[in-house]
Coordinates of all heavy atoms in Angstrom, one line a residue:
M1 N 124.6 -182.5 14.4 CA 124.2 -181.3 13.7 C 123.6 -180.3 14.6 O 122.7 -180.6 15.4 CB 123.2 -181.7 12.6 CG 122.7 -180.6 11.8 SD 121.6 -181.2 10.5 CE 120.8 -179.7 10.1
S2 N 124.1 -179.1 14.6 CA 123.6 -178.0 15.5 C 122.5 -177.3 14.8 O 122.4 -177.2 13.6 CB 124.7 -177.1 15.9 OG 125.2 -176.4 14.7
D3 N 121.6 -176.6 15.6 CA 120.5 -175.8 15.0 C 121.1 -174.5 14.5 O 122.0 -173.9 15.0 CB 119.6 -175.4 16.1 CG 118.8 -176.7 16.6 OD1 118.7 -177.7 15.9 OD2 118.3 -176.7 17.8
A4 N 120.6 -174.1 13.4 CA 121.0 -172.8 12.8 C 120.2 -171.7 13.3 O 119.0 -171.9 13.7 CB 120.9 -172.9 11.2
I5 N 120.8 -170.5 13.3 CA 120.1 -169.3 13.7 C 120.0 -168.4 12.5 O 121.0 -168.2 11.8 CB 120.8 -168.6 14.9 CG1 121.0 -169.5 16.1 CG2 120.1 -167.3 15.2 CD1 119.7 -170.0 16.6
Y6 N 118.9 -167.8 12.3 CA 118.7 -166.9 11.1 C 118.3 -165.5 11.5 O 117.8 -165.3 12.6 CB 117.6 -167.5 10.2 CG 117.9 -168.8 9.7 CD1 117.5 -170.0 10.4 CD2 118.6 -169.0 8.5 CE1 117.8 -171.2 9.9 CE2 118.9 -170.3 8.0 CZ 118.5 -171.4 8.8 OH 118.9 -172.6 8.3
K7 N 118.5 -164.6 10.6 CA 118.2 -163.2 10.9 C 117.6 -162.6 9.6 O 117.9 -163.1 8.5 CB 119.4 -162.4 11.3 CG 119.1 -160.9 11.6 CD 120.4 -160.2 12.2 CE 120.0 -158.8 12.4 NZ 120.7 -158.2 13.6
T8 N 116.8 -161.6 9.7 CA 116.3 -160.8 8.5 C 116.6 -159.4 8.6 O 116.8 -158.8 9.7 CB 114.8 -161.0 8.3 OG1 114.1 -160.5 9.5 CG2 114.4 -162.5 8.1
V9 N 116.8 -158.8 7.5 CA 116.9 -157.3 7.4 C 115.9 -156.8 6.4 O 115.6 -157.5 5.4 CB 118.4 -156.9 7.0 CG1 119.4 -157.2 8.0 CG2 118.7 -157.5 5.6
D10 N 115.4 -155.6 6.7 CA 114.5 -155.0 5.7 C 115.3 -154.1 4.8 O 116.1 -153.3 5.2 CB 113.5 -154.1 6.5 CG 112.5 -154.9 7.3 OD1 112.0 -155.9 6.9 OD2 112.3 -154.5 8.5
V11 N 115.0 -154.2 3.5 CA 115.6 -153.3 2.5 C 114.5 -152.9 1.5 O 113.4 -153.5 1.4 CB 116.7 -154.1 1.8 CG1 117.9 -154.5 2.7 CG2 116.2 -155.3 1.0
V12 N 114.9 -151.9 0.7 CA 114.0 -151.4 -0.4 C 114.8 -151.4 -1.6 O 115.8 -150.7 -1.7 CB 113.4 -150.1 -0.1 CG1 112.6 -149.6 -1.3 CG2 112.5 -150.1 1.1
G13 N 114.5 -152.2 -2.6 CA 115.1 -152.2 -3.9 C 114.4 -151.3 -4.9 O 113.2 -151.2 -4.8
S14 N 115.2 -150.7 -5.8 CA 114.5 -149.8 -6.7 C 115.1 -149.9 -8.1 O 116.2 -150.3 -8.3 CB 114.6 -148.3 -6.2 OG 116.0 -147.9 -6.2
S15 N 114.2 -149.6 -9.1 CA 114.7 -149.8 -10.5 C 113.8 -149.0 -11.4 O 112.5 -148.9 -11.1 CB 114.6 -151.2 -10.9 OG 114.8 -151.3 -12.3
T16 N 114.3 -148.4 -12.4 CA 113.5 -147.8 -13.4 C 113.0 -148.7 -14.5 O 112.2 -148.4 -15.3 CB 114.2 -146.6 -14.1 OG1 115.5 -147.2 -14.7 CG2 114.6 -145.5 -13.2
E17 N 113.5 -150.0 -14.4 CA 113.2 -151.0 -15.5 C 112.1 -151.9 -15.1 O 111.2 -152.1 -15.9 CB 114.5 -151.8 -15.8 CG 115.6 -150.9 -16.4 CD 115.3 -150.3 -17.7 OE1 114.6 -150.9 -18.5 OE2 115.6 -149.1 -17.8
S18 N 112.2 -152.6 -13.9 CA 111.2 -153.6 -13.5 C 111.2 -153.9 -12.0 O 112.2 -153.6 -11.4 CB 111.4 -154.9 -14.3 OG 112.6 -155.5 -13.9
I19 N 110.2 -154.6 -11.6 CA 110.1 -155.1 -10.2 C 111.3 -156.2 -10.0 O 111.9 -156.2 -9.0 CB 108.8 -155.8 -9.9 CG1 107.7 -154.6 -9.9 CG2 108.8 -156.5 -8.7 CD1 106.3 -155.2 -10.0
E20 N 111.4 -157.0 -11.0 CA 112.5 -158.0 -11.0 C 113.9 -157.4 -10.8 O 114.7 -157.9 -10.0 CB 112.5 -158.9 -12.2 CG 113.5 -160.0 -12.1 CD 113.4 -161.0 -13.3 OE1 112.4 -160.9 -14.1 OE2 114.4 -161.7 -13.5
D21 N 114.2 -156.3 -11.5 CA 115.5 -155.6 -11.4 C 115.6 -155.0 -10.0 O 116.7 -155.0 -9.5 CB 115.6 -154.6 -12.5 CG 116.0 -155.1 -13.8 OD1 116.3 -156.3 -13.9 OD2 115.9 -154.4 -14.8
A22 N 114.5 -154.5 -9.5 CA 114.5 -153.9 -8.1 C 114.9 -155.0 -7.1 O 115.7 -154.7 -6.2 CB 113.2 -153.3 -7.8
V23 N 114.3 -156.2 -7.2 CA 114.6 -157.2 -6.3 C 116.0 -157.7 -6.5 O 116.8 -157.9 -5.5 CB 113.6 -158.5 -6.4 CG1 114.0 -159.7 -5.7 CG2 112.2 -158.0 -6.1
S24 N 116.4 -158.0 -7.7 CA 117.7 -158.5 -8.0 C 118.8 -157.5 -7.5 O 119.9 -157.9 -7.0 CB 117.9 -158.8 -9.5 OG 117.0 -159.8 -9.8
G25 N 118.6 -156.3 -7.8 CA 119.6 -155.2 -7.4 C 119.7 -155.1 -5.8 O 120.8 -155.0 -5.3
A26 N 118.6 -155.3 -5.1 CA 118.7 -155.2 -3.7 C 119.4 -156.4 -3.1 O 120.3 -156.3 -2.2 CB 117.3 -155.2 -3.1
I27 N 119.2 -157.6 -3.7 CA 119.9 -158.8 -3.2 C 121.4 -158.7 -3.6 O 122.3 -159.1 -2.7 CB 119.2 -160.1 -3.8 CG1 117.8 -160.2 -3.1 CG2 120.1 -161.3 -3.5 CD1 117.0 -161.3 -3.8
A28 N 121.7 -158.3 -4.8 CA 123.1 -158.2 -5.1 C 123.9 -157.2 -4.3 O 125.0 -157.5 -3.8 CB 123.2 -157.7 -6.6
K29 N 123.3 -156.1 -4.0 CA 123.9 -155.1 -3.1 C 124.1 -155.6 -1.7 O 125.1 -155.5 -1.1 CB 123.1 -153.8 -3.1 CG 123.7 -152.7 -2.3 CD 124.9 -152.1 -3.0 CE 125.3 -150.8 -2.3 NZ 126.4 -150.2 -3.0
A30 N 123.0 -156.2 -1.1 CA 123.1 -156.8 0.2 C 124.1 -157.9 0.3 O 124.8 -158.0 1.4 CB 121.7 -157.3 0.7
S31 N 124.3 -158.7 -0.7 CA 125.2 -159.8 -0.7 C 126.6 -159.4 -0.6 O 127.5 -160.2 -0.2 CB 125.0 -160.8 -1.8 OG 125.4 -160.2 -3.0
K32 N 126.9 -158.1 -0.9 CA 128.3 -157.6 -0.7 C 128.7 -157.5 0.7 O 129.9 -157.5 1.0 CB 128.4 -156.3 -1.4 CG 128.3 -156.4 -2.9 CD 128.5 -155.0 -3.6 CE 128.3 -155.2 -5.1 NZ 128.5 -153.9 -5.8
T33 N 127.7 -157.3 1.7 CA 128.1 -157.1 3.1 C 127.4 -158.2 4.0 O 127.8 -158.3 5.2 CB 127.6 -155.8 3.6 OG1 126.3 -155.6 3.3 CG2 128.4 -154.7 2.8
I34 N 126.5 -159.0 3.4 CA 125.8 -160.0 4.3 C 126.1 -161.4 3.7 O 125.9 -161.6 2.5 CB 124.3 -159.8 4.2 CG1 123.9 -158.5 4.8 CG2 123.6 -160.9 5.0 CD1 122.5 -158.1 4.7
D35 N 126.7 -162.3 4.5 CA 127.0 -163.7 4.1 C 125.7 -164.6 4.3 O 124.9 -164.3 5.1 CB 128.1 -164.2 4.9 CG 129.4 -163.5 4.6 OD1 129.6 -163.0 3.5 OD2 130.3 -163.3 5.5
H36 N 125.7 -165.6 3.6 CA 124.7 -166.7 3.8 C 123.3 -166.3 3.5 O 122.4 -166.8 4.2 CB 124.9 -167.3 5.2 CG 126.3 -167.7 5.6 ND1 127.1 -168.5 4.9 CD2 127.0 -167.2 6.6 CE1 128.2 -168.6 5.5 NE2 128.2 -167.8 6.6
I37 N 123.1 -165.4 2.6 CA 121.7 -165.1 2.2 C 121.0 -166.3 1.7 O 121.5 -167.0 0.8 CB 121.6 -163.9 1.2 CG1 122.1 -162.6 1.9 CG2 120.2 -163.7 0.7 CD1 122.2 -161.4 1.0
G38 N 119.8 -166.6 2.2 CA 119.1 -167.8 1.8 C 117.7 -167.5 1.2 O 117.2 -168.4 0.4
W39 N 117.1 -166.4 1.5 CA 115.8 -166.2 0.9 C 115.4 -164.7 1.0 O 116.1 -163.9 1.6 CB 114.7 -167.0 1.7 CG 114.4 -166.5 3.1 CD1 113.4 -165.6 3.4 CD2 115.0 -166.9 4.3 NE1 113.4 -165.4 4.7 CE2 114.4 -166.1 5.3 CE3 116.1 -167.7 4.6 CZ2 114.8 -166.3 6.6 CZ3 116.5 -167.8 5.9 CH2 115.8 -167.1 6.9
F40 N 114.3 -164.4 0.3 CA 113.8 -163.0 0.4 C 112.2 -163.1 0.5 O 111.7 -164.1 0.0 CB 114.2 -162.1 -0.7 CG 113.7 -162.5 -2.0 CD1 112.5 -161.9 -2.6 CD2 114.4 -163.4 -2.8 CE1 112.1 -162.3 -3.8 CE2 113.9 -163.7 -4.1 CZ 112.8 -163.2 -4.6
E41 N 111.6 -162.1 1.0 CA 110.1 -162.1 1.1 C 109.7 -160.7 0.8 O 110.1 -159.7 1.4 CB 109.7 -162.4 2.6 CG 108.3 -162.3 2.9 CD 108.0 -162.5 4.4 OE1 108.8 -163.3 5.0 OE2 107.0 -161.9 4.9
I42 N 108.9 -160.6 -0.2 CA 108.4 -159.2 -0.6 C 107.2 -158.8 0.2 O 106.2 -159.6 0.3 CB 108.0 -159.3 -2.1 CG1 109.3 -159.5 -3.0 CG2 107.3 -157.9 -2.5 CD1 109.0 -159.6 -4.5
G43 N 107.3 -157.6 0.8 CA 106.2 -157.1 1.7 C 105.3 -156.1 0.9 O 104.1 -156.0 1.2
E44 N 105.9 -155.3 0.1 CA 105.2 -154.3 -0.6 C 105.8 -153.9 -2.0 O 107.0 -154.1 -2.1 CB 105.0 -153.1 0.2 CG 106.2 -152.3 0.6 CD 106.0 -151.2 1.5 OE1 104.9 -150.6 1.5 OE2 107.0 -150.7 2.2
I45 N 105.0 -153.6 -2.9 CA 105.5 -153.1 -4.2 C 104.8 -151.7 -4.4 O 103.6 -151.6 -4.3 CB 105.1 -154.1 -5.3 CG1 105.7 -155.4 -5.1 CG2 105.5 -153.5 -6.7 CD1 105.3 -156.5 -6.1
R46 N 105.6 -150.8 -4.8 CA 105.1 -149.4 -5.1 C 105.9 -148.8 -6.2 O 106.9 -149.4 -6.6 CB 105.1 -148.5 -3.8 CG 106.5 -148.3 -3.3 CD 106.4 -147.5 -2.0 NE 107.7 -147.4 -1.4 CZ 108.1 -148.1 -0.4 NH1 107.4 -149.1 0.1 NH2 109.4 -148.0 0.0
G47 N 105.4 -147.7 -6.7 CA 106.1 -147.1 -7.8 C 105.8 -145.7 -8.0 O 104.9 -145.1 -7.2
H48 N 106.4 -145.0 -8.9 CA 106.2 -143.6 -9.2 C 105.7 -143.5 -10.7 O 106.2 -144.2 -11.6 CB 107.5 -142.9 -9.1 CG 107.5 -141.5 -9.4 ND1 106.8 -140.5 -8.5 CD2 107.9 -140.8 -10.4 CE1 106.9 -139.3 -9.1 NE2 107.6 -139.4 -10.2
V49 N 104.7 -142.7 -10.9 CA 104.2 -142.5 -12.2 C 104.4 -141.1 -12.7 O 104.3 -140.1 -12.0 CB 102.6 -142.7 -12.2 CG1 102.0 -142.4 -13.6 CG2 102.3 -144.1 -11.7
T50 N 104.9 -141.0 -13.9 CA 105.2 -139.7 -14.6 C 104.5 -139.7 -15.9 O 104.7 -140.6 -16.7 CB 106.7 -139.5 -14.7 OG1 107.3 -139.5 -13.4 CG2 107.0 -138.1 -15.3
D51 N 103.7 -138.6 -16.2 CA 103.0 -138.5 -17.5 C 102.3 -139.8 -17.9 O 102.3 -140.2 -19.0 CB 104.0 -138.2 -18.6 CG 104.7 -136.8 -18.4 OD1 104.0 -135.9 -17.8 OD2 105.9 -136.7 -18.7
G52 N 101.6 -140.4 -16.9 CA 100.8 -141.6 -17.2 C 101.6 -142.9 -17.4 O 100.9 -143.9 -17.8
K53 N 102.8 -142.9 -17.1 CA 103.6 -144.1 -17.3 C 104.4 -144.4 -16.0 O 104.8 -143.5 -15.3 CB 104.6 -143.9 -18.5 CG 104.0 -143.7 -19.8 CD 105.0 -143.6 -20.9 CE 104.3 -143.4 -22.2 NZ 105.3 -143.1 -23.3
V54 N 104.7 -145.7 -15.8 CA 105.5 -146.1 -14.7 C 106.9 -145.6 -14.9 O 107.5 -145.9 -15.9 CB 105.5 -147.6 -14.5 CG1 106.4 -148.0 -13.3 CG2 104.0 -148.1 -14.2
A55 N 107.4 -144.8 -14.0 CA 108.7 -144.3 -14.1 C 109.7 -144.9 -13.2 O 110.9 -144.9 -13.4 CB 108.7 -142.8 -13.7
H56 N 109.2 -145.6 -12.1 CA 110.1 -146.1 -11.1 C 109.4 -147.2 -10.3 O 108.3 -147.0 -9.9 CB 110.6 -145.0 -10.2 CG 111.9 -145.2 -9.5 ND1 113.1 -144.8 -10.0 CD2 112.2 -145.9 -8.3 CE1 114.1 -145.2 -9.2 NE2 113.5 -145.9 -8.2
F57 N 110.1 -148.3 -10.0 CA 109.6 -149.3 -9.2 C 110.3 -149.4 -7.9 O 111.6 -149.2 -7.8 CB 109.8 -150.7 -9.9 CG 109.1 -150.9 -11.2 CD1 109.7 -150.6 -12.4 CD2 107.8 -151.3 -11.2 CE1 109.1 -150.7 -13.6 CE2 107.1 -151.5 -12.5 CZ 107.8 -151.1 -13.6
Q58 N 109.6 -149.6 -6.8 CA 110.2 -149.8 -5.4 C 109.6 -151.1 -4.8 O 108.4 -151.3 -4.9 CB 110.0 -148.7 -4.5 CG 110.8 -147.5 -4.9 CD 110.7 -146.4 -3.8 OE1 109.6 -146.2 -3.2 NE2 111.7 -145.6 -3.6
V59 N 110.5 -151.9 -4.3 CA 110.1 -153.2 -3.7 C 110.6 -153.2 -2.2 O 111.8 -153.3 -2.0 CB 110.6 -154.4 -4.5 CG1 110.1 -155.7 -3.8 CG2 110.1 -154.3 -5.9
G60 N 109.7 -153.2 -1.3 CA 110.1 -153.4 0.1 C 110.1 -154.9 0.4 O 109.2 -155.6 0.1
M61 N 111.2 -155.3 1.0 CA 111.4 -156.8 1.2 C 112.3 -157.1 2.4 O 113.0 -156.2 2.9 CB 112.0 -157.4 -0.1 CG 113.3 -156.7 -0.5 SD 113.9 -157.1 -2.2 CE 114.7 -158.6 -1.9
K62 N 112.2 -158.3 2.9 CA 113.0 -158.8 3.9 C 114.0 -159.8 3.3 O 113.6 -160.5 2.4 CB 112.2 -159.6 5.0 CG 111.3 -158.7 5.8 CD 110.6 -159.5 6.9 CE 109.7 -158.7 7.7 NZ 110.4 -157.8 8.6
I63 N 115.2 -159.7 3.7 CA 116.2 -160.7 3.2 C 116.6 -161.5 4.4 O 117.0 -160.9 5.4 CB 117.4 -159.9 2.6 CG1 117.0 -159.2 1.3 CG2 118.6 -160.9 2.3 CD1 118.1 -158.4 0.7
G64 N 116.6 -162.8 4.2 CA 116.9 -163.7 5.3 C 118.3 -164.3 5.1 O 118.7 -164.7 4.0
F65 N 119.0 -164.5 6.2 CA 120.4 -165.1 6.2 C 120.7 -165.9 7.4 O 120.1 -165.6 8.5 CB 121.4 -164.0 5.9 CG 121.5 -162.9 6.9 CD1 122.5 -162.9 7.9 CD2 120.6 -161.8 6.8 CE1 122.6 -161.9 8.8 CE2 120.7 -160.8 7.7 CZ 121.7 -160.9 8.7
R66 N 121.6 -166.8 7.3 CA 122.0 -167.6 8.4 C 123.2 -167.0 9.1 O 124.1 -166.5 8.5 CB 122.4 -169.0 7.9 CG 122.9 -170.0 9.0 CD 123.3 -171.3 8.4 NE 124.1 -171.3 7.2 CZ 125.4 -171.1 7.2 NH1 126.1 -171.0 8.3 NH2 126.1 -171.1 6.0
L67 N 123.1 -166.9 10.4 CA 124.2 -166.4 11.2 C 125.3 -167.4 11.4 O 125.0 -168.6 11.5 CB 123.7 -165.9 12.6 CG 122.7 -164.8 12.6 CD1 122.2 -164.5 14.0 CD2 123.3 -163.5 12.0
D68 N 126.5 -167.0 11.4 CA 127.7 -167.9 11.6 C 127.7 -168.5 13.1 O 127.2 -167.9 14.0 CB 129.0 -167.2 11.4 CG 129.3 -167.0 9.9 OD1 128.8 -167.8 9.1 OD2 130.0 -166.0 9.6

């Protein structure tokens, strides 16, 4: 068995619905061009407020994947 090598990329997911949708959307989009995604790590959560209500969620995250 050989040792695996991993890499991470920084992405920001966004959603008007929820933090979970922001994370899921970022992973779904990244998986179209990145193979072997294995994990994610959330670094920051932020959002936009309009008229006293949350209007937009943004999640800064690292996505980890195994290199071939």
Side-chain angles (χ1 to χ4, degrees):
M1 180 175 160
S2 64
D3 293 334
I5 305 298
Y6 299 90
K7 182 174 178 148
T8 61
V9 293
D10 292 317
V11 299
V12 176
S14 62
S15 171
T16 56
E17 298 299 318
S18 69
I19 292 167
E20 183 177 345
D21 282 352
V23 171
S24 296
I27 292 171
K29 183 72 170 184
S31 70
K32 292 181 180 180
T33 58
I34 299 172
D35 293 328
H36 313 299
I37 292 176
W39 74 91
F40 66 94
E41 174 184 331
I42 295 174
E44 62 182 339
I45 299 171
R46 60 183 176 263
H48 178 73
V49 176
T50 302
D51 297 326
K53 296 180 181 178
V54 175
H56 203 93
F57 299 91
Q58 288 186 327
V59 179
M61 55 196 278
K62 291 183 182 290
I63 294 178
F65 58 98
R66 181 179 45 83
L67 297 175
D68 286 333

